[in-house]
Amino acid sequence: LHLGYAPPAASVRAPRDCARRRMPPGPGKKRKAGRGVDGGAVGNTSADEAGRGGPAKKAAKASEPAAPPKSETGAPGGGAAKPPVAAAAKGKVEFRAPDAAEVFEISRTQNLYKSNLFRLQIEELVREVAPKKSQSHIETFLRNFKAVIEGLAPRKIPENFAEEFPQLRFHEQQPFPFEFAAPRRIDVVGSMLLGTGSGNEPTVDLAVEMPSASFQSKDYLNFRYLNKRTAYVGEMHRQLAALCEAAPAGVLMSGVEVDVAPVLGDVFRQCTTLRVREAQSGGAFMVRLLPVYAADLFPVAKMAPDRNLVRAVIPPGASASASPPPTALYNSCVLEDCRMRAHLELLHNALQRTPALKDAILLLKRWASARSFMPRRSGSYFFIPISGFCLSIVAAHAAQTSNVAPSSQTSSFQLFKLALSVFANTEWSNQKLVFGKSGGTPLTPEEIKMSGAHFYDTDGMYNFFWRLGSFIDEIRWEAARALRTLDARADPFEAVFGQQGASPALMWDLAVRTAPLGAAALCPASTPGKAPKIGAPQLGFSGAEPADAPEAMALASCLAKLLAEGLGDRCTRSAARLIAGGPDGAVSVIVGFQLDSVNLERGLDRGPSAESPEAPRFRELWGAERSELRRFKDGSVLECAVWAKPPPGRSVESKRQPAVVTQIVLHLLKRHFPQVAAGADLISGAMGFVTNLGERERRLWLAFEAFRGHLCQLSSLPLTIKDVHPVDASFSYTELAARNAPVAADGIQRTLHDTVVEFESSARWPDDPAAAQKVAGAMLLQMKEELQSDLGIEADVTHGILDVRYPEFVFRIRVFHEQELRFVAHRVTNFATPPSSAVLPSVEDIDRLRDVWWRPRVRSALHSTVLQRPALAGAVRLCQRWLGSQLLGGYQEFVEHLVAAAFLTPAPFEAPTSPQVGLCRMCWLLDIFDWEHEPFVVDFDGKLAEEERMAIRRSFERSRSDASSASPFWIASRFDPHAILLQCPPATVALWLRRRARHALSICHRRLLGLGAAASAGGPVGWDALFALDTSVFDVVVRLRRMDEEQAVASAEGTPRKKGLKNERLRAAVAREAVQNLVSKLRSHLSSVCLVFHDADCRVIALKWRPSAFFPQHHNILMGAIPHTMIPQDKGQPPLCVPNVLYLTCVVSSLAEGLALDLTVMGARGAVHGA
């Protein structure tokens, strides 16, 4: 084969990591990619597209034994060599040199797509989202419907439109009568004719031209046109609904659902919708009737961006203002309706000139849908007011102004990147674009005030982006990120086109959601220049918005700018979105922030000096109640804002003692947005903002460094100490609750922390393990004697361990040397020696290797990562709490590996900067990662070579083929290349755990949207559903009595405080120990028939029967300790035995007597009470 050609089809296999790893469509239902349309000049792209990497999966299938896939130009295999020619005489296969077209395709694949797999995925995605070519049923319906709409009866509508159509909304500034008549002209516009629609349900946009005689010459002023347009929609809806109700079965309008819907959320711009079900036409689709007016009805020059078309009503005797502000947004809103046909012709000509543009538009729409930019048809969702038509215009502009030749060989992917470049490389704040003209034009100061984004039609009158405003910054940022990903990654498909960005919960550390706004939130302001200012005018936020900016646009921009300025260097990025689905079509504004975890807890914000010009602005921002002058040691006198630092060591943020970030946001909202602050919801995760790196752990490290120095300076040992390794989770700031050490004679309560002392390699160590342990014990005795005699440090020696007491901590020492576990480590940690090639070491040897070698190295790597990314520590603790709430406590290393991977390899996201985002990322990984076919590799220090990764993959494939893996979670690292040392949840609960992770991510998503019980609570209670336990998966649930320290204090009333508190704490400790003993007994006695789940913070013990243990077995099983029931068989056959569930349940109840409140057998009619 020629260099660069694809190998024969039988040997082509797509890498599993690319083809089978799937990204989620976001919380909620899984959706498959479908077909639909964007809705034309003012339409919206309906629907969720694409499911979990469908194109990637199909591309992988296409690359297995089958015909080579076709390229965009129709060449097999994307430029692969033509089929070989067989020589009949010799029976050999001959290959000829590639022709020019094949060389071109090979070069395109290498330079543009970078890999054959990515090209296959792109081509499969285009085929998946493209609309069906055969839509004869839609064409038949439209031909017949034309006569129906042309037959609408004329009618004179009274002046009071609101009374005539109470379900619609009108401005009603200057009411005028309106003559309704059938449309003068009907045209199909939008993406149906262009073939650029995408979505599950096709949508057809019909531009119905209202008769010019129904309008007056100046109806474009003061919303009169929009009022009459809405009245026209209401009358069409009324007559068409009557026709549908009266239509007998079998006729055209029978069963058609007629309704009205806003265009891009604007309730003052409605359209009539007809939903045709599958029974009537063979395929469901929607028709939208968009009222338009003739292009020559109103003078276009009067609607230029610098003109004012909303005149204020001047009271008698008052003087008119000298120069009313321009209403650029309202002007484009009115001008939009007369250019739908012209824009359709514009796009049609662009598609004729560049055929690949159609697929580029489909790719651009899929990219926007994956980032929740596109509005949907129903439900609550995040969106940005951008339509599929705007994306199509950007793609057409990129194709026309680029240097790409408009030929059939032009790649759609190349055009897609050019369209992203238009978004990413344009300085929208000070530049404007004109369709068909390359490069941006600088904006004048007057033009900057007209709109937040300027992209004009060819004549410079109509602004395509008049709705976007400040939302263009979010689009620009995402476009730049997509371009970076395409250039940097070999397989960027899921990162660019996957549904990973569907939920902002995966990215935002802090979010502020407003209450639902008024009905006119997305409509241009009805009183431009006189609307109440949002925020402090002195800060300049309000004046930066257009005079007629819609309320939602202005509020989103001002909120984002104000809070970002107040947070300062604590905020790394801000983004604004809209939330649809409120009452009566109302929308809410949500502003999200990504924070810098290093600066979150700073309690003093230094401002400018008192004499600087910036000082008045600083005082205006914070107000007299927060701004104050302070003198510092260097003699400077600065304006400062001081915040109360919450107490350290807390695990949950409270309303009484909010975090510094919460104080800043609440203060700014109350000062500058008092009306918004009353109904705003501050969302900062389940635990809020708490300290990531605790002060107690910092003291622990200081004591550990002193402890390490004391050990290393011991001189009486025969061997030199190589290093002292930390083992305990407290050393990486990830421990939920420290263990208490045995109380010494002084009565001081200390915490216990494990360490490992590693001696230098020496041939003096005995080969016999028992003798080596005795030598290690002698070493510990010698260490104790020297510590006590020379340094005065108390220590206690027991079998194999040495406890060294410091004032606040106790360090427990175990001894490790290389000769002890050399053979075991060679079998378990050697990349070149897969464990399946020989018998694994014993369980005791693996546990020993895990305790003295693996855990110390993982702990050190995790500690260095936490110091670089402090939020990782808080994320691990939060994830442990969540996993413990699901009765899966005890898998701390499993959580640490997952969270570390989310921070170290965050693609396709940025690295998390808060614990709540870390929790969402871990749940996302649990849900979407292909655990069955892919190894999960955690590279703690970035030292894994490519050869080592390939060795890990081979080990994974061997373990899956041998079915030797006890858990579906196969997680490897440089310290554990064969996934033997890391303990993961068992296979019995793996699928259930992934469902719970998906449920948790859905709760976080709904919390941002303001849905469900979380919205009504408005506080920590709203997150209870996140930690709720689903007991349906268990078979027996035992609820335990709760005896924590708070209840212990309450029960100690009436006794001396100190004595009662001490006694009750001892009782609580005894109760915890009793529960642990109960769990240990259940696991030791019933491990053969069930799994026992428990968490220290969750007062529940749950049992899950092992299905394999209840298969009928031979009566020899009676030799065990589990009681069985004998099942008689036919004559001559020995009886079979099954475990006696009733007896086992009674045993559990009796063991839990005194500790349990009740025992419930799940699925049974009643509960068995064991306490």
Side-chain angles (χ1 to χ4, degrees):
L1 293 178
H2 294 285
L3 183 63
Y5 278 38
S11 63
V12 178
R13 289 189 64 87
R16 287 179 176 175
D17 182 59
C18 303
R20 291 180 178 172
R21 176 169 172 170
R22 302 184 293 270
M23 300 297 176
K29 297 183 179 179
K30 304 173 185 176
R31 301 175 175 89
K32 296 181 179 179
R35 300 173 175 87
V37 294
D38 61 77
V42 296
N44 59 346
T45 298
S46 64
D48 262 348
E49 302 170 344
R52 300 185 165 201
K57 188 174 182 180
K58 293 184 179 180
K61 291 183 178 179
S63 62
E64 295 181 357
K70 293 183 178 181
S71 67
E72 294 173 334
T73 59
K82 294 182 179 180
V85 180
K90 299 181 180 180
K92 297 181 180 179
V93 179
E94 298 178 357
F95 296 92
R96 61 178 179 80
D99 55 25
E102 293 170 338
V103 171
F104 175 78
E105 291 297 327
I106 296 172
S107 177
R108 174 191 290 183
T109 300
Q110 292 177 342
N111 299 329
L112 185 60
Y113 295 92
K114 295 186 177 181
S115 69
N116 285 331
L117 175 64
F118 183 53
R119 181 168 185 170
L120 289 172
Q121 292 171 329
I122 291 293
E123 293 170 356
E124 179 62 29
L125 173 63
V126 170
R127 285 192 292 268
E128 189 171 320
V129 301
K132 294 180 180 178
K133 294 183 178 180
S134 176
Q135 296 181 340
S136 57
H137 64 288
I138 299 179
E139 297 175 1
T140 302
F141 178 85
L142 294 179
R143 292 194 195 97
N144 297 330
F145 180 71
K146 183 175 182 294
V148 174
I149 195 171
E150 287 178 345
L152 296 179
R155 178 173 176 266
K156 182 176 181 180
I157 301 177
E159 294 183 2
N160 194 341
F161 295 158
E163 182 179 348
E164 186 72 14
F165 305 103
Q167 77 278 15
L168 302 178
R169 295 185 179 273
F170 301 88
H171 288 278
E172 290 290 344
Q173 287 187 342
Q174 297 176 357
F176 285 89
F178 181 56
E179 294 285 345
F180 175 84
R184 176 173 170 268
R185 179 175 174 177
I186 303 172
D187 295 283
V188 179
V189 295
S191 58
M192 176 187 174
L193 294 180
L194 302 176
T196 58
S198 59
N200 293 326
E201 186 179 76
T203 300
V204 183
D205 288 339
L206 295 182
V208 291
E209 183 178 313
M210 298 175 287
S212 299
S214 301
F215 295 92
Q216 298 179 356
S217 60
K218 293 188 178 294
D219 273 348
Y220 57 86
L221 297 174
N222 296 338
F223 294 91
R224 282 155 48 181
Y225 165 75
L226 293 182
N227 287 336
K228 291 185 176 181
R229 181 190 184 278
T230 305
Y232 196 91
V233 169
E235 186 62 25
M236 276 198 306
H237 170 263
R238 174 184 294 172
Q239 295 194 28
L240 291 175
L243 289 175
C244 293
E245 293 179 0
V251 301
L252 179 68
M253 301 298 291
S254 175
V256 176
E257 298 179 8
V258 183
D259 201 356
V260 293
V263 177
L264 284 177
D266 188 354
V267 296
F268 293 99
R269 287 178 55 83
Q270 300 277 356
C271 66
T272 305
T273 63
L274 289 81
R275 189 179 299 274
V276 183
R277 295 298 181 185
E278 188 173 355
Q280 287 79 31
S281 59
F285 61 94
M286 176 182 284
V287 178
R288 298 197 312 165
L289 305 180
L290 303 171
V292 300
Y293 62 90
D296 56 352
L297 177 60
F298 302 132
V300 176
K302 298 287 188 181
M303 290 181 280
D306 58 347
R307 303 296 294 268
N308 179 281
L309 299 185
V310 182
R311 313 292 168 76
V313 179
I314 303 175
S319 60
S321 59
S323 57
T327 56
L329 306 186
Y330 172 79
N331 300 355
S332 293
C333 178
V334 175
L335 195 59
E336 187 174 59
D337 284 348
C338 72
R339 301 205 171 189
M340 289 190 184
R341 286 190 294 268
H343 291 157
L344 178 67
E345 295 175 2
L346 186 69
L347 291 175
H348 175 73
N349 294 334
L351 290 173
Q352 292 296 317
R353 184 170 53 254
T354 310
L357 181 60
K358 181 176 72 172
D359 292 347
I361 293 174
L362 293 174
L363 293 176
L364 196 61
K365 290 180 179 179
R366 169 60 186 266
W367 168 80
S369 176
R371 277 142 188 81
S372 300
F373 288 166
M374 311 294 286
R376 303 177 187 173
R377 289 179 180 170
S378 60
S380 296
Y381 52 87
F382 301 100
F383 77 101
I384 285 177
I386 186 173
S387 65
F389 164 73
C390 291
L391 297 175
S392 303
I393 283 292
V394 170
H397 172 76
Q400 186 168 335
T401 57
S402 64
N403 296 324
V404 177
S407 63
S408 59
Q409 293 183 345
T410 303
S411 169
S412 61
F413 180 66
Q414 186 177 6
L415 294 176
F416 166 72
K417 293 184 67 176
L418 289 173
L420 291 181
S421 300
V422 172
F423 282 118
N425 298 333
T426 304
E427 292 289 343
W428 298 101
S429 59
N430 54 28
Q431 286 183 342
K432 69 176 179 180
L433 295 183
V434 178
F435 184 87
K437 295 182 180 180
S438 59
T441 304
L443 292 171
T444 64
E446 292 75 17
E447 289 177 328
I448 293 177
K449 298 179 180 180
M450 294 179 188
S451 178
H454 299 259
F455 182 23
Y456 291 96
D457 208 342
T458 53
D459 59 356
M461 292 292 181
Y462 172 67
N463 185 5
F464 295 111
F465 286 176
W466 70 270
R467 288 185 177 90
L468 291 182
S470 60
F471 298 109
I472 192 65
D473 296 333
E474 174 73 358
I475 300 176
R476 184 188 181 191
W477 187 87
E478 288 288 356
R481 184 166 73 106
L483 289 174
R484 291 194 303 268
T485 304
L486 291 172
D487 293 337
R489 299 185 60 183
D491 178 32
F493 180 81
E494 296 293 352
V496 177
F497 300 105
Q499 294 286 347
Q500 77 282 350
S503 176
L506 294 166
M507 296 177 287
W508 291 352
D509 305 316
L510 171 68
V512 178
R513 187 187 64 247
T514 68
L517 305 178
L522 292 177
C523 179
S526 57
T527 55
K530 294 187 178 181
K533 296 294 183 181
I534 300 177
Q538 295 84 349
L539 297 177
F541 296 134
S542 302
E545 295 302 315
D548 60 339
E551 180 186 3
M553 181 190 302
L555 181 59
S557 176
C558 293
L559 267 179
K561 293 177 182 178
L562 176 71
L563 296 181
E565 180 176 343
L567 292 172
D569 58 358
R570 299 179 181 90
C571 176
T572 59
R573 177 175 170 264
S574 62
R577 298 285 180 92
L578 300 176
I579 299 178
D584 299 329
V587 298
S588 302
V589 172
I590 184 168
V591 182
F593 301 91
Q594 288 179 294
L595 305 177
D596 184 2
S597 57
V598 177
N599 301 315
L600 288 184
E601 301 172 11
R602 187 180 66 240
L604 177 67
D605 289 337
R606 299 190 182 188
S609 63
E611 295 81 12
S612 66
E614 294 82 9
R617 178 181 178 85
F618 186 89
R619 290 190 290 267
E620 178 63 30
L621 177 66
W622 299 113
E625 62 274 19
R626 283 294 178 181
S627 179
E628 59 183 49
L629 285 174
R630 286 205 171 192
R631 183 184 298 275
F632 294 91
K633 293 182 179 180
D634 59 357
S636 60
V637 179
L638 303 177
E639 296 279 356
C640 297
V642 184
W643 311 100
K645 296 193 68 172
R650 59 177 186 164
S651 59
V652 180
E653 180 183 358
S654 64
K655 290 185 177 181
R656 292 184 178 181
Q657 296 175 327
V660 173
V661 173
T662 306
Q663 297 176 51
I664 293 174
V665 173
L666 293 178
H667 173 73
L668 292 176
L669 288 178
K670 292 178 181 178
R671 173 169 174 77
H672 300 288
F673 299 87
Q675 297 160 345
V676 175
D681 189 7
L682 186 64
I683 306 166
S684 57
M687 301 299 176
F689 293 105
V690 296
T691 304
N692 291 315
L693 306 182
E695 191 62 32
R696 179 182 152 277
E697 285 78 7
R698 298 178 191 271
R699 297 196 305 272
L700 172 64
W701 267 101
L702 294 177
F704 176 75
E705 293 297 339
F707 163 70
R708 176 187 284 171
H710 292 157
L711 291 183
C712 292
Q713 70 183 14
L714 297 179
S715 59
S716 62
L717 297 177
L719 294 176
T720 305
I721 294 178
K722 181 179 179 181
D723 200 358
V724 181
H725 301 283
V727 179
D728 207 68
S730 296
F731 290 102
S732 58
Y733 303 88
T734 57
E735 191 171 47
L736 281 178
R739 294 177 299 163
N740 290 327
V743 180
D746 56 8
I748 299 176
Q749 185 67 57
R750 298 176 176 88
T751 56
L752 181 65
H753 305 281
D754 293 329
T755 61
V756 170
V757 172
E758 181 180 357
F759 286 93
E760 287 187 348
S761 178
S762 174
R764 300 165 64 182
W765 285 98
D767 296 332
D768 182 38
Q773 290 181 6
K774 292 184 179 297
V775 172
M779 292 282 193
L780 294 176
L781 286 172
Q782 185 64 30
M783 293 166 64
K784 174 192 174 184
E785 292 179 1
E786 188 171 356
L787 285 172
Q788 288 181 339
S789 60
D790 294 354
L791 301 177
I793 300 175
E794 297 183 358
D796 296 323
V797 176
T798 57
H799 180 69
I801 60 174
L802 171 65
D803 289 347
V804 182
R805 286 193 296 274
Y806 281 77
E808 192 176 357
F809 309 101
V810 174
F811 296 103
R812 175 164 291 178
I813 300 175
R814 287 181 172 86
V815 174
F816 166 70
H817 59 92
E818 294 182 359
Q819 285 82 356
E820 176 186 4
L821 300 170
R822 185 181 299 275
F823 174 78
V824 178
H826 178 73
R827 289 298 182 189
V828 175
T829 65
N830 191 355
F831 285 89
T833 307
S836 59
S837 62
V839 179
L840 281 174
S842 64
V843 176
E844 292 78 10
D845 289 340
I846 291 179
D847 290 342
R848 174 71 176 169
L849 181 67
R850 181 187 295 117
D851 292 338
V852 300
W853 183 85
W854 178 75
R855 282 198 176 104
R857 278 145 185 83
V858 171
R859 187 64 53 206
S860 298
L862 198 62
H863 173 251
S864 61
T865 306
V866 164
L867 294 182
Q868 298 174 10
R869 298 177 173 88
L872 189 150
V876 170
R877 297 196 299 267
L878 180 58
C879 293
Q880 287 186 76
R881 289 183 182 275
W882 176 78
L883 207 64
S885 68
Q886 309 304 310
L887 297 185
L888 288 175
Y891 295 100
Q892 179 166 345
E893 285 98 354
F894 171 73
V895 173
E896 289 172 345
H897 279 66
L898 285 177
V899 178
F903 277 78
L904 295 172
T905 54
F909 309 98
E910 305 292 333
T913 52
S914 66
Q916 57 267 20
V917 174
L919 171 64
C920 293
R921 299 280 183 87
M922 190 201 74
C923 294
W924 179 77
L925 283 174
L926 282 173
D927 180 31
I928 64 96
F929 191 80
D930 192 359
W931 298 98
E932 185 65 26
H933 304 96
E934 291 300 320
F936 192 92
V937 182
V938 183
D939 191 0
F940 284 104
D941 47 15
K943 295 181 180 180
L944 271 177
E946 191 62 32
E947 295 79 6
E948 294 174 334
R949 290 182 179 272
M950 292 302 298
I952 290 176
R953 173 173 286 278
R954 288 193 295 269
S955 177
F956 167 78
E957 293 175 350
R958 188 177 293 106
S959 66
R960 285 291 186 255
S961 62
D962 297 343
S964 59
S965 179
S967 173
F969 300 113
W970 203 94
I971 302 176
S973 65
R974 188 168 63 88
F975 311 112
D976 185 19
H978 307 297
I980 297 175
L981 300 176
L982 178 64
Q983 295 176 322
C984 299
T988 311
V989 297
L991 184 60
W992 171 78
L993 177 60
R994 297 182 66 184
R995 287 200 307 265
R996 297 303 298 171
R998 189 182 312 125
H999 175 70
L1001 191 58
S1002 174
I1003 290 174
C1004 296
H1005 180 78
R1006 291 173 59 85
R1007 184 71 174 87
L1008 286 178
L1009 287 172
L1011 299 177
S1016 60
V1021 180
W1023 294 98
D1024 284 352
L1026 181 65
F1027 299 95
L1029 174 63
D1030 179 16
T1031 58
S1032 61
V1033 70
F1034 302 111
D1035 297 311
V1036 178
V1037 176
V1038 181
R1039 289 197 307 118
L1040 303 176
R1041 299 182 185 276
R1042 187 167 186 85
M1043 177 60 76
D1044 53 19
E1045 293 186 3
E1046 295 178 359
Q1047 289 182 337
V1049 173
S1051 64
E1053 294 180 356
T1055 61
R1057 179 172 178 78
K1058 292 184 179 180
K1059 182 177 179 180
L1061 179 60
K1062 182 177 180 180
N1063 291 339
E1064 292 301 333
R1065 284 180 175 175
L1066 291 176
R1067 290 179 56 189
V1070 171
R1072 286 194 297 268
E1073 185 177 356
V1075 172
Q1076 292 296 333
N1077 291 336
L1078 171 62
V1079 174
S1080 299
K1081 288 182 180 179
L1082 292 176
R1083 286 175 176 170
S1084 62
H1085 295 298
L1086 304 179
S1087 59
S1088 60
V1089 294
C1090 70
L1091 295 172
V1092 181
F1093 299 93
H1094 170 66
D1095 185 74
D1097 295 330
C1098 187
R1099 308 293 293 180
V1100 175
I1101 298 177
L1103 277 64
K1104 177 68 177 177
W1105 304 122
R1106 298 181 186 269
S1108 59
F1110 288 84
F1111 291 149
Q1113 302 179 51
H1114 193 266
H1115 63 275
N1116 292 340
I1117 198 67
L1118 294 175
M1119 300 297 294
I1122 302 300
H1124 285 69
T1125 299
M1126 302 184 65
I1127 305 175
Q1129 302 297 308
D1130 297 336
K1131 293 182 179 180
Q1133 297 293 330
L1136 298 178
C1137 302
V1138 294
N1140 190 327
V1141 177
L1142 181 60
Y1143 184 85
L1144 292 174
T1145 305
C1146 294
V1147 168
V1148 173
S1149 178
S1150 62
L1151 288 175
E1153 185 175 359
L1155 295 174
L1157 289 175
D1158 60 42
L1159 182 148
T1160 305
V1161 179
M1162 304 305 297
R1165 294 183 178 180
V1168 180
H1169 298 280

